[in-house]
Amino acid sequence: MPTIEQLFERHGPRYRWLATATVMLGTLSMVLTSTIINVAVPAIMGEFQLGQDQVHWLATAFLAAMTVGMLVNAWCLARFGSRRTFICAMVIFIMASVVGGFSQNFAILVAVRAVQGVMAGLIQPHALVTIFQVFPWNKRGQAMGIYGMGVVLGPAVAPALGGILVDTLSWRAVFFAVLPSCSLALFMASRFLPGTAHARNHRLDWLGIILLGVGLTALLWALAGLARRGLDDPVLLTALIGGPLIMGLFAAWQLRHPYPLFDPRVFRYPGFAGGFFVAMVMGAGVFGTTYLMPLYFQQVQGMTATDAGFILIPAGIAMAIIFPLSGHLSDRLPGAVMITTGLLLMPVSLLLLRAADIGTSVVWLMFWVALGRVALGLMMPPVNTGSLSLLPPEMIPQGSGVVNFARQIGGALGVNLSAICVQFFSDRHWHAHPEAGHPHAFEVGFDDAFLITASLFILALWPLAWMSRGQRLKRTETSQ
């Protein structure tokens, strides 16, 4: 298996972009899978007779499982090398997609999404690690911007593609839509990813995987079932208390294990904890709103799946345009300035959507959603590169996994809580005012979910201050 040095000798300077294109295509396939199903959720709800607090598991299971895959990624890279890890994960991902497309049972469908999520977690962290390996430090922001522009094409086209597939074929077609891009990524990985492994004696922390999986699943299940079961249910109460306790045991175990999945040493570097929490909020915003928007347009605005998909295209294009600019600026401007701008713009977008009603013009809705995507596009490159810049080079693979973990667990919690809020506040309004009708009850639920998400972004200014202090300290130490 060739090393990075041998691949540079074989392909020359263009190898940087060949490697970047490979990991970008893999990540694009994963992002497409995570978002394309959202526009199909109402159709799946109808076929399996599900509520909001049940069907969200299609997104939550994917994101929660993805956190596990991301933490295992560092071990797989060390044990098997980038090429083998990428190819094996992609093959399993393709098989799971086919099973999902033919599934006749919702439980199996959720299990398929969990398998897809683990494989996506193995594939997606390749991007940051590869970019930091093949680009010099002063070009990484630009590379991240160009890489990000390609990746956000997934969210840009996924809703429209998914809507067309749902309306013309079936919701099952969304599971097959990613197979061409996955196949191309497989081919490119076999040529352009390095294959050497360097730590064959590195042991996988199986106990850590079990503790994290059980704790996170219990917490998410308890939150999702709180409205239906109530605190009087002993099983739910056990999960609600036990889930966080088990995750606390996971964190304590990581401090003791010689090869931790979640390397706690990264938090010793000043400012990294702030970046971790900002990434969590960013993940909640990215995945929570990506999940809510197609549902909002179909259940409140009365649109078809195709219409709901096409109305989200300008938001995806706006994010694709802002990403390269954001990456370029992150090499020249303080990251805190860009992140602060995003943290303030996102609540504006959400509060404007909260103020909308059934009669609001589609043009305004498109603009307000696009404003939120611009905010997220401004934040992503500086949060990623800024967090990893606080670490020494040998800690970057571990830091990359932790940053991705933060974004994904934030996304899982964001989708979970958003769906719960919509269901809870909609049901409460419906019972109090049955004469208002279901669309208005849904509108109240979505409005409250938007408000809660907006509040999270305001609160994230606090951990951003920690991150900024860490960057100033690092610059001071470097200049001495």
Side-chain angles (χ1 to χ4, degrees):
M1 293 288 183
T3 63
I4 288 180
E5 291 76 15
Q6 290 171 333
L7 289 168
F8 266 112
E9 292 177 2
R10 183 182 303 172
H11 300 287
R14 68 191 180 106
Y15 170 67
R16 290 190 177 95
W17 299 108
L18 293 172
T20 301
T22 301
V23 295
M24 180 179 72
L25 189 57
T27 304
L28 173 64
S29 302
M30 303 304 103
V31 173
L32 187 64
T33 300
S34 70
T35 55
I36 194 173
I37 199 170
N38 293 333
V39 76
V41 165
I44 296 173
M45 290 176 66
E47 178 161 338
F48 293 102
Q49 298 298 302
L50 303 168
Q52 289 279 5
D53 54 347
Q54 297 170 305
V55 75
H56 76 84
W57 281 107
L58 293 175
T60 304
F62 184 95
L63 295 171
M66 196 171 177
T67 64
V68 177
M70 285 180 166
L71 294 182
V72 176
N73 172 268
W75 175 82
C76 289
L77 291 179
R79 180 66 177 81
F80 303 109
S82 181
R83 180 177 297 191
R84 287 193 186 96
T85 299
F86 190 99
I87 289 176
C88 289
M90 189 63 79
V91 169
I92 296 173
F93 182 90
I94 290 172
M95 294 170 62
S97 299
V98 173
V99 172
F102 290 108
S103 176
Q104 300 294 323
N105 182 279
F106 182 69
I108 294 176
L109 203 59
V110 172
V112 163
R113 291 289 290 171
V115 173
Q116 286 183 322
V118 173
M119 297 306 111
L122 291 175
I123 292 170
Q124 200 156 310
H126 278 73
L128 280 177
V129 174
T130 299
I131 287 173
F132 270 71
Q133 285 177 332
V134 302
F135 282 93
W137 70 269
N138 62 327
K139 296 293 184 180
R140 290 169 185 168
Q142 180 184 6
M144 281 296 299
I146 294 174
Y147 157 80
M149 181 179 66
V151 170
V152 297
L153 288 175
V157 304
L161 176 60
I164 293 172
L165 291 174
V166 170
D167 285 341
T168 58
L169 298 173
S170 164
W171 61 263
R172 300 179 183 279
V174 301
F175 282 90
F176 302 113
V178 298
L179 297 185
S181 61
C182 289
S183 301
L184 181 57
L186 267 178
F187 170 75
M188 295 181 68
S190 67
R191 299 195 60 185
F192 304 126
L193 291 185
T196 54
H198 56 79
R200 294 188 176 276
N201 294 325
H202 191 129
R203 299 194 307 274
L204 180 60
D205 180 11
W206 287 104
L207 179 58
I209 293 174
I210 294 171
L211 289 173
L212 175 62
V214 172
L216 186 56
T217 301
L219 175 61
L220 294 173
W221 178 84
L223 292 173
L226 190 60
R228 288 178 181 267
R229 292 172 171 263
L231 290 174
D232 295 335
D233 188 316
V235 177
L236 184 137
L237 188 60
T238 300
L240 189 62
I241 297 173
L245 287 177
I246 294 172
M247 293 186 70
L249 288 175
F250 165 75
W253 173 246
Q254 296 306 287
L255 291 170
R256 297 174 58 87
H257 198 276
Y259 304 105
L261 295 169
F262 184 98
D263 197 333
R265 292 177 298 166
V266 295
F267 291 100
R268 297 175 182 173
Y269 298 92
F272 188 85
F276 178 87
F277 286 112
V278 173
M280 277 191 68
V281 172
M282 185 175 67
V286 170
F287 294 106
T289 58
T290 300
Y291 176 80
L292 287 180
M293 293 305 176
L295 296 174
Y296 173 76
F297 291 131
Q298 292 178 72
Q299 295 182 325
V300 175
Q301 299 292 332
M303 300 180 183
T304 64
T306 301
D307 291 339
F310 274 97
I311 201 174
L312 294 171
I313 288 180
I317 294 174
M319 199 169 183
I321 292 173
I322 200 66
F323 237 101
L325 176 61
S326 179
H328 179 76
L329 292 176
S330 68
D331 289 328
R332 290 160 176 79
L333 294 177
V337 173
M338 299 177 62
I339 298 171
T340 300
T341 303
L343 289 175
L344 295 177
L345 279 180
M346 189 65 182
V348 171
S349 167
L350 292 169
L351 292 176
L352 287 170
L353 285 167
R354 186 177 187 272
D357 56 31
I358 297 176
T360 301
S361 168
V362 169
V363 175
W364 283 116
L365 293 173
M366 293 169 67
F367 178 76
W368 294 337
V369 175
L371 180 63
R373 289 299 179 261
V374 169
L376 293 168
L378 286 173
M379 293 174 59
M380 284 186 184
V383 168
N384 290 332
T385 58
S387 299
L388 295 184
S389 69
L390 296 167
L391 305 176
E394 65 273 13
M395 294 295 294
I396 286 176
Q398 292 86 348
S400 172
V402 172
V403 170
N404 281 297
F405 173 85
R407 187 172 63 248
Q408 294 305 129
I409 199 169
L413 289 170
V415 171
N416 185 290
L417 294 175
S418 295
I420 293 168
C421 287
V422 171
Q423 187 71 49
F424 175 77
F425 291 113
S426 295
D427 287 347
R428 189 177 71 169
H429 187 82
W430 169 252
H431 291 310
H433 306 282
E435 73 282 356
H438 280 295
H440 184 69
F442 277 132
E443 183 179 10
V444 171
F446 280 101
D447 286 348
D448 288 335
F450 291 150
L451 179 61
I452 291 171
T453 305
S455 301
L456 291 177
F457 278 82
I458 298 298
L459 293 174
L461 291 170
W462 185 21
L464 174 60
W466 309 348
M467 180 180 173
S468 299
R469 284 195 296 268
Q471 290 175 329
R472 289 194 297 269
L473 180 60
K474 182 71 177 291
R475 286 193 296 268
T476 301
E477 293 174 350
T478 304
S479 62
Q480 290 177 350

